[in-house]
Amino acid sequence: MRLDKLLGNNGFGTRKDVKQLIRKGTVRVNGVAEKDPGAHVNPDVDSVDVLGEPVIHQEFIYIMMNKPPGVISATEDKWDQTVIDLLSENEQRFEPFPVGRLDKDTEGLLLITNDGKLTHELLSPKKDIPKTYYAKIDGIVTGGDVEAFKEGVTLEDGFHTKPGILNVLVSDSISEIELTITEGKFHQVKRMFEAVDKKVIYLKRLSMGNLLLDESLPLGHYRELTDQELNELDPRKKG
């Protein structure tokens, strides 16, 4: 890794800032001053310090966000605020991205990271990673709907979904449910209920795999995952 990139990724300023630091001789690699911003270092092997402060290399970032409505799950957009816009500059320098998407009006658990391998593991259709949602439904959700979801339903475009586990919390003119699915088709939860002639009027994701939404996080707030959460979430860490 280039020395200037290492320092930039670890919070020592903009690329211009770190180049000035390096050229002033304030950066040492293995105890020797290094004035070439393009010098290559191995952060796992080489010792790097700036004005005597050791550079602790962090390659990946893992953030749990309680996504608010009105914000889109994207890295950038010309018109709308994105979930990345909600992060501080310190987190944005890792160039993170959302793992999957929540609709603009959907709330709840969103994982944001720059770990492409973990993202692939979590989103691969072959992995069947479960995702659980809480929803309010315009219409009476019945036992018949539970059975239909258990078999999978056919969406308006002819796609037949994998089975979903539908738990009815309140069955009334406005029903409340929890639904666990292992797919992530565009607007899937909403389209599944449309397939049984009902409409989702509120949607919130509660979990993804073993990662549960921290209910103490207000809408629009976020925190880094704990080591335990990351270990339980990452399928690569399981025997």
Side-chain angles (χ1 to χ4, degrees):
M1 177 183 291
R2 284 176 57 107
L3 181 58
D4 55 358
K5 183 174 177 60
L6 173 67
L7 299 185
N9 284 358
N10 288 277
F12 285 91
T14 65
R15 181 167 295 183
K16 181 179 179 180
D17 292 336
V18 298
K19 284 183 177 179
Q20 289 178 345
L21 282 173
I22 295 168
R23 286 170 178 152
K24 287 179 180 177
T26 59
V27 179
R28 294 185 303 172
V29 178
N30 298 322
V32 179
E34 176 58 72
K35 295 186 178 182
D36 179 9
H40 278 75
V41 295
N42 183 340
D44 295 324
V45 176
D46 296 320
S47 168
V48 181
D49 66 80
V50 179
L51 294 171
E53 177 185 350
V55 177
I56 308 300
H57 178 55
Q58 180 181 351
E59 183 176 5
F60 297 120
I61 190 169
Y62 304 92
I63 291 173
M64 174 196 298
M65 177 179 287
N66 187 358
K67 178 192 168 298
V71 177
I72 65 171
S73 301
T75 55
E76 58 183 356
D77 190 84
K78 291 182 179 179
W79 297 280
D80 291 308
Q81 186 179 40
T82 73
V83 292
I84 303 303
D85 293 331
L86 299 179
L87 303 180
S88 72
E89 289 185 3
N90 185 50
E91 284 98 18
Q92 290 184 24
R93 64 186 167 84
F94 286 93
E95 300 180 348
F97 43 82
V99 178
R101 292 176 179 270
L102 291 181
D103 299 340
K104 184 176 179 180
D105 59 351
T106 299
E107 301 177 5
L109 175 66
L110 185 66
L111 176 64
I112 299 173
T113 184
N114 59 343
D115 187 339
K117 290 183 179 180
L118 175 61
T119 298
H120 175 75
E121 290 286 332
L122 294 174
L123 297 183
S124 172
K126 297 179 181 179
K127 301 296 183 179
D128 283 335
I129 301 296
K131 295 170 281 289
T132 299
Y133 298 81
Y134 166 82
K136 293 182 180 180
I137 310 298
D138 186 0
I140 299 174
V141 179
T142 67
D145 297 326
V146 172
E147 292 303 313
F149 277 46
K150 190 182 296 184
E151 299 297 324
V153 296
T154 301
L155 306 183
E156 81 290 342
D157 61 359
F159 177 81
H160 193 79
T161 70
K162 291 181 179 181
I165 302 172
L166 177 59
N167 180 24
V168 182
L169 305 175
V170 175
S171 180
D172 208 332
S173 57
I174 300 296
S175 298
E176 297 179 40
I177 63 91
E178 286 186 359
L179 174 64
T180 300
I181 58 176
T182 58
E183 296 171 304
K185 299 294 182 182
F186 182 69
H187 292 324
Q188 180 158 340
V189 175
K190 297 174 182 177
R191 293 165 68 199
M192 289 179 74
F193 277 99
E194 288 171 359
V196 293
D197 299 318
K198 296 176 179 66
K199 182 178 180 181
V200 173
I201 57 176
Y202 173 81
L203 186 60
K204 175 181 181 179
R205 184 156 68 189
L206 303 176
S207 66
M208 182 177 192
N210 291 321
L211 183 63
L212 305 179
L213 175 65
D214 183 344
E215 295 288 354
S216 71
L217 278 178
L219 282 171
H221 288 238
Y222 60 88
R223 64 166 173 79
E224 290 200 44
L225 297 191
T226 65
D227 290 340
Q228 180 177 345
E229 287 171 333
L230 181 57
N231 289 336
E232 292 178 352
L233 176 68
D234 194 340
R236 298 169 297 177
K237 298 182 184 298
K238 295 180 171 57

